[in-house]
């Protein structure tokens, strides 16, 4: 089994005619993902990689029965594209776009309360159920079918940890990059809850980083609600206080919350071993299985 | 992007928030002209992007001409936490009875903006937040509707703002939220708001930071950006458009994605080395950007070795390899040993292109970092 996506997922790609949209549509299809449509205003009637393009998402849903979308729309129009997707009762929207203004995402976040659609991202690598479907930009060849779930705030760190798992023959049920922006759709807790309810997921990796309090909240959830064992990794132990490390919203306030130490100790208190290196995370997972 | 106090105050004043009379000055003579117009007492305030200016000696009150001249000489050109003071705001001193705090920022846990009011203004509000959180009244704001007037009233009453000025502070707060929204601010704060002896409310300070991701729709604000960097390398990173932080060690680090770059830093430390920098080339970098990154790290004289850690997703290994080749082939002699670790999208194509006479290649993250740490130890000996 898997969470959120499988081989029944029928994908519409928003922004399919752009450079990234086109390249990754091809990559997703090569992986075996069911890409059934593209949606780009004004480009209806075209074809990309043999996929029909519609002017609106609702047309793509009506004509091709899409139930999920992947957003490759530039930042200035990304929130609007997400709103459009949320208005069509899709099950899932995956927003890859980096650099969506935070106040736009606050409005999207408000809309999410009113619909049944799940949003993953923005500024994320997407989601993959190995052997079935990938929605996003993750390099498919490093993943393998198996029984470990993975949820991460960082895209490239996801790839790193997955390759450490795959190299020793540990496959994955589903891997999700939730994105590191201040406001995101699916949280650690949402993903952990879904993994807990998936009988095929026997262990979970959770990769966090400095900034925010999401990992602390996840630790609380794990302690109170999870039987499935979880191993963790936290990036940014050496980040100097007060410096912003990149785009990830990774800000250490220096006041004791949001630091690597506070996240690691919250996870340890919840019974979650935290690796010093990505390889050590794989060691812990190996011990669980 | 951070605005200076004087820039934020211009925006506040235009929106109808009262601010003290002021002039901007960049020389002692200009300061003296300004105080002549404004009178005494006058505050001379350094315009630099650092917190705690007052404690660090960047704000002085002058009661007469001698004190104004002395303050101007002391502050202009001074080094404030690594930044040189080039401009000061000369401002009329306010005769106040109470100091308040008001602010609007994004509460990332709630995914909503939050407005805050406290009667404990004029001091370090972060300390208040930590030690006595109940002293700050808070209201979450529905971003679809904005701050309702009733919420602004509730905030001032919850915070215990004196009744005779409560409605003034509430309307102040509404204006502040409108500015926050209209300008895509990441936060906007006034600390302190002063209540004068005539019971007027005045913004005695102004903090306004803009969401960098939203600057594309605020050309007017983007044009107000005044670059100031702690050193030449950070200035260079600004020109190249890199997320770069200079650190004190000797292992130069280049990678893609903030999480992976931070992990690389952590591993350098884990293997007994010290990171010289954080440098994220971002997603989808082309060859030129990769070459610029290498140029960037080589120009740090503390760097004794470099590690490239790329795990391609949207970034393609062949583009990265091209950039590394281009940068290194331009040297007669490679300045410092470079270790490359390339994985993910098009990594195999990248490995074929990579000029392995110029770099050391390692297959795993751990091996690459360990080798770079060893290289640095050898070079520095």
């Amino acid at each position: 089994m898997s969470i959120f996506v499988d081989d029944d997922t029928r994908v519409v790609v928003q922004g399919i005619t752009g450079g990234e949209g086109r390249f990754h549509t091809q990559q997703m299809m090569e992986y075996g993902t069911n890409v059934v449509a593209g949606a780009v205003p004004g480009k209806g009637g075209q074809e990309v990689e043999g996929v029909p393009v519609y002017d609106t998402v609702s047309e793509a849903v009506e004509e091709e029965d899409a139930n999920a979308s992947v957003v490759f729309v530039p930042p200035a129009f990304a929130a609007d594209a997400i709103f459009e997707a949320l208005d069509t009762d899709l099950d899932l929207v995956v927003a890859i776009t980096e650099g969506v203004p935070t106040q736009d995402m606050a409005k999207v976040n408000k809309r999410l309360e009113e619909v049944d659609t799940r949003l993953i991202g923005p500024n994320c690598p997407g989601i993959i159920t190995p052997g079935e479907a990938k929605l996003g930009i993750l390099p498919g060849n490093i993943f393998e079918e198996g029984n470990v779930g993975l949820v991460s705030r960082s895209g490239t760190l996801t790839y790193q940890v997955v390759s450490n798992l795959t190299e020793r023959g540990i496959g994955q049920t589903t891997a999700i990059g939730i994105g590191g922006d201040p406001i995101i759709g699916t949280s650690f807790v949402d993903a952990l809850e879904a993994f807990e309810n998936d009988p095929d997921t026997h262990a979970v990796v959770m990769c966090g980083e400095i900034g925010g309090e999401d990992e602390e909240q996840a630790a609380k959830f794990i302690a109170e609600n999870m039987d499935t064992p979880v191993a963790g990794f936290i990036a940014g132990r050496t980040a100097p206080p007060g410096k912003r490390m990149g785009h990830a919203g990774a800000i250490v306030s220096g006041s004791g919350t949001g630091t690597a130490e506070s996240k690691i100790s919250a996870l340890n208190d919840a019974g979650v071993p935290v690796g010093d290196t990505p390889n050590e995370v794989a060691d812990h997972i190996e011990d669980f299985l | 992007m951070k605005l200076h106090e004087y820039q934020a105050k211009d925006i506040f004043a235009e929106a109808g928030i009262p601010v003290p009379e002021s002039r901007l000055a960049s020389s002692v003579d200009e300061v003296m002209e300004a105080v002549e117009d404004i009178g005494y007492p006058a505050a001379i305030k350094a315009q630099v992007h650092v917190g705690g200016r007052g404690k660090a000696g960047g704000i002085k009150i002058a009661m007469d001409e001698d004190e104004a001249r002395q303050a101007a000489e002391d502050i202009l050109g001074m080094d404030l936490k690594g930044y040189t003071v080039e401009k000061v705001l000369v401002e009329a001193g306010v005769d106040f009875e109470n100091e308040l705090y008001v602010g609007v920022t994004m509460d990332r846990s709630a995914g909503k903006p939050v407005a805050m009011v406290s009667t404990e203004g004029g001091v370090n509000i972060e300390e208040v937040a930590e030690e006595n959180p109940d002293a700050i009244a808070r209201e979450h704001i529905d971003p679809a509707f904005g701050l309702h007037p009733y919420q602004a009233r509730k905030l001032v009453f919850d915070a215990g703002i004196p009744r005779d000025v409560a409605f003034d502070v509430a309307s102040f707060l509404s204006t502040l939220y409108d500015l926050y929204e209209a300008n895509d601010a990441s936060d906007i704060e006034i600390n302190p708001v002063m209540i004068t002896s005539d019971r007027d409310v005045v913004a005695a300070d102004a903090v306004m930071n803009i969401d960098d991701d939203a600057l594309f729709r605020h050309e007017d604000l983007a044009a107000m950006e005044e670059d100031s960097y702690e050193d030449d390398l950070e200035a260079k990173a600004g020109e190249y458009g890199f997320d770069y932080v200079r650190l004190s060690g000797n292992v130069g680090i280049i990678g893609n994605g903030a999480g992976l770059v931070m992990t690389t830093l952590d591993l350098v430390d884990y293997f007994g080395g010290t990171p010289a920098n954080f440098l994220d080339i971002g997603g989808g970098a082309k060859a030129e950007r990769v070459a610029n990154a290498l140029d960037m790290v080589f120009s740090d004289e503390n760097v004794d070795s470099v590690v490239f850690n790329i795990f391609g997703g949207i970034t393609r290994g062949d583009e990265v390899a091209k950039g590394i080749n281009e940068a290194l082939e331009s040297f007669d002699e490679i300045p410092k040993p470079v270790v490359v670790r390339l994985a993910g999208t098009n990594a195999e194509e990248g490995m074929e292109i990579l000029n392995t006479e110029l770099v050391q290649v390692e297959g795993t993250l751990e091996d690459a970092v360990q080798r770079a740490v060893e290289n640095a130890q050898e070079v520095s000996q």
Side-chain angles (χ1 to χ4, degrees):
Chain A
M1 250 179 84
S2 60
I3 67 167
F4 306 150
V5 298
D6 55 30
D7 46 19
D8 290 331
T9 306
R10 295 173 60 82
V11 179
V12 49
V13 178
Q14 294 178 256
I16 196 169
T17 51
E20 298 299 343
R22 188 180 294 265
F23 176 76
H24 289 286
T25 295
Q26 180 211 332
Q27 297 276 307
M28 285 189 280
M29 290 173 75
E30 245 171 55
Y31 194 75
T33 311
N34 229 341
V35 180
V36 297
V40 181
K43 302 281 172 79
Q46 297 185 8
E47 269 195 4
V48 171
E49 305 291 330
V51 171
V53 180
Y54 297 90
D55 286 314
T56 64
V57 176
S58 60
E59 257 182 292
V61 171
E62 270 167 41
E63 300 293 329
E64 308 294 341
D65 202 21
N67 63 359
S69 104
V70 184
V71 178
F72 284 103
V73 172
F77 315 104
D80 188 47
I82 297 170
F83 275 114
E84 182 183 0
L86 295 181
D87 274 351
T88 57
D89 291 330
L90 293 167
D91 298 326
L92 177 70
V93 177
V94 180
I96 307 302
T97 312
E98 178 180 353
V100 183
T102 307
Q103 291 198 24
D104 289 4
M105 280 311 301
K107 294 187 174 85
V108 167
N109 188 55
K110 172 68 185 173
R111 181 74 182 124
L112 280 171
E113 292 172 4
E114 302 157 351
V115 297
D116 289 329
T117 309
R118 164 172 304 285
L119 172 70
I120 297 176
N123 189 16
C124 80
I127 174 168
I128 184 167
T129 292
E132 299 197 32
K134 81 159 178 163
L135 280 64
I137 60 175
L138 314 105
N141 61 332
I142 61 171
F143 294 86
E144 203 170 277
E145 290 171 55
N147 54 13
V148 173
L150 185 140
V151 55
S152 169
R153 264 171 76 182
S154 153
T156 45
L157 186 54
T158 306
Y159 312 158
Q160 176 62 49
V161 174
V162 163
S163 70
N164 286 106
L165 293 172
T166 300
E167 270 161 26
R168 34 179 114 185
I170 302 171
Q172 305 88 42
T173 44
T174 298
I176 314 169
I178 57 175
D181 278 3
I183 300 179
I184 53 174
T186 296
S187 67
F188 277 126
V189 169
D190 299 330
L192 290 168
E193 188 176 22
F195 281 129
E196 173 70 11
N197 294 328
D198 174 28
D200 290 338
T201 298
H202 298 171
V204 179
V205 177
M206 176 187 144
C207 298
E209 61 189 26
I210 52 172
E213 287 168 4
D214 304 24
E215 291 81 354
E216 286 86 343
Q217 286 165 9
K220 190 164 175 279
F221 177 85
I222 293 166
E224 290 169 3
N225 301 289
M226 284 186 76
D227 293 324
T228 313
V230 181
F233 184 79
I234 301 293
R237 293 167 189 238
T238 51
K243 289 284 188 186
R244 185 177 151 139
M245 293 283 174
H247 224 288
I251 295 167
V252 181
S253 62
S255 64
T257 58
T259 61
E261 296 79 60
S262 81
K263 290 172 193 292
I264 291 167
S265 71
L267 286 167
N268 285 339
D269 290 349
V272 176
V274 178
D276 284 332
T277 69
N279 211 22
E280 270 185 36
V281 181
D283 290 341
H284 291 305
I285 292 292
E286 210 158 42
D287 291 344
F288 290 148
L289 297 175
Chain B
M1 174 197 157
K2 292 176 175 173
L3 294 181
H4 284 299
E5 177 193 0
Y6 80 90
Q7 294 169 322
K9 276 189 171 156
D10 283 349
I11 293 170
F12 288 6
E14 209 170 302
I17 293 177
V19 299
E21 187 188 359
S22 67
R23 304 265 188 289
L24 191 65
S26 52
S27 69
V28 175
D29 287 347
E30 282 176 18
V31 171
M32 297 318 290
E33 276 171 40
V35 281
E36 207 166 293
D37 284 353
I38 289 169
Y40 298 96
I44 320 282
K45 305 163 94 175
Q47 299 297 292
V48 282
H49 293 308
V50 297
R53 285 174 303 168
K55 275 187 194 162
I59 298 178
K60 290 197 168 135
I61 308 292
M63 302 306 292
D64 57 37
E65 216 169 286
D66 288 345
E67 285 183 15
R69 184 173 298 278
Q70 190 61 51
E73 282 170 0
D74 289 349
I75 296 174
L76 278 165
M78 82 181 283
D79 179 276
L80 211 60
K81 299 182 183 176
Y83 295 85
T84 306
V85 179
E86 286 167 357
K87 288 177 185 167
V88 292
L89 189 65
V90 183
E91 190 172 76
V94 179
D95 174 23
F96 66 93
E97 289 184 352
N98 304 78
E99 292 182 298
L100 316 174
Y101 167 86
V102 297
V104 179
T105 190
M106 188 63 73
D107 178 350
R108 59 181 288 168
S109 301
K112 292 183 174 100
V114 60
M116 295 169 290
V117 177
S118 176
T119 52
E120 298 196 17
V123 287
N124 188 345
I125 196 70
E126 276 141 21
E127 273 170 29
V128 176
E130 210 153 299
E131 285 159 19
N132 187 15
D134 292 342
I136 302 174
R138 297 176 172 84
E139 280 281 301
H140 280 118
I141 300 164
D142 183 332
F145 296 110
L147 179 73
H148 295 295
Y150 86 85
Q151 288 183 296
R153 295 194 299 270
K154 181 167 187 296
L155 272 168
V156 296
F157 291 125
D158 282 354
I161 304 290
R163 281 189 171 271
D164 61 336
V165 293
F167 287 106
D168 289 340
V169 176
S171 97
F172 212 98
L173 193 61
S174 296
T175 308
L176 206 63
Y177 180 77
D178 292 344
L179 286 175
Y180 168 85
E181 194 188 18
N183 295 290
D184 272 296
S186 51
D187 53 83
I188 190 162
E189 288 176 288
I190 307 174
N191 187 29
V193 173
M194 286 177 176
I195 301 177
T196 70
S197 42
D198 297 333
R199 309 305 283 171
D200 290 327
V201 286
V202 177
D205 190 24
V207 169
M208 188 167 172
N209 298 320
I210 310 298
D211 179 1
D212 290 325
D213 288 336
L215 281 177
F216 66 84
R217 57 188 173 208
H218 299 286
E219 279 176 27
D220 50 335
L221 295 172
M224 292 166 83
E225 176 150 34
E226 290 181 1
D227 288 336
S228 57
Y229 297 99
E230 284 183 54
D231 61 34
D232 293 346
L233 275 173
E234 296 206 342
K236 194 168 185 169
E239 278 166 34
Y240 282 146
F242 285 129
D243 282 323
Y244 173 86
V245 179
R246 190 175 188 181
L247 302 167
S248 56
N250 65 346
V251 179
I253 293 158
I254 302 170
N256 64 323
L260 187 64
V261 182
M262 281 193 287
T263 301
T264 315
L265 260 68
D266 294 347
L267 284 185
V268 166
D269 179 69
Y270 179 80
F271 286 118
T274 50
N277 64 276
F278 168 99
L279 199 171
D280 177 8
I281 60 169
K286 301 283 186 244
E288 190 192 353
R289 193 166 169 80
V290 174
N292 288 345
L294 207 45
D295 174 50
M296 183 75 238
V297 173
F298 277 147
S299 25
D300 180 352
E301 57 192 20
N302 293 332
V303 166
D304 288 327
S305 93
V306 179
V307 57
F308 244 100
N309 182 27
I310 302 292
F311 211 123
I314 205 159
T315 304
R316 297 170 205 171
D318 49 341
E319 281 290 332
V320 172
K322 264 189 240 168
I324 295 174
N325 286 350
E326 268 169 35
L328 294 182
E329 281 161 6
S330 68
F331 291 103
D332 293 331
E333 196 185 340
I334 310 292
K336 298 288 150 76
V338 178
V339 180
V340 177
R341 186 276 179 134
L342 213 52
T345 306
N346 290 7
E348 279 170 29
E349 291 86 335
M351 293 305 291
E352 277 168 25
I353 296 171
L354 200 62
N355 186 341
T356 49
E357 285 174 16
L358 304 179
V359 296
Q360 301 164 2
V361 176
E362 292 290 351
T364 72
L365 169 59
E366 283 85 356
D367 289 348
V369 170
Q370 222 168 341
R371 183 125 178 217
V373 169
E374 285 161 14
N375 287 344
Q377 282 160 353
E378 274 169 34
V379 171
S380 63
Q381 267 167 16

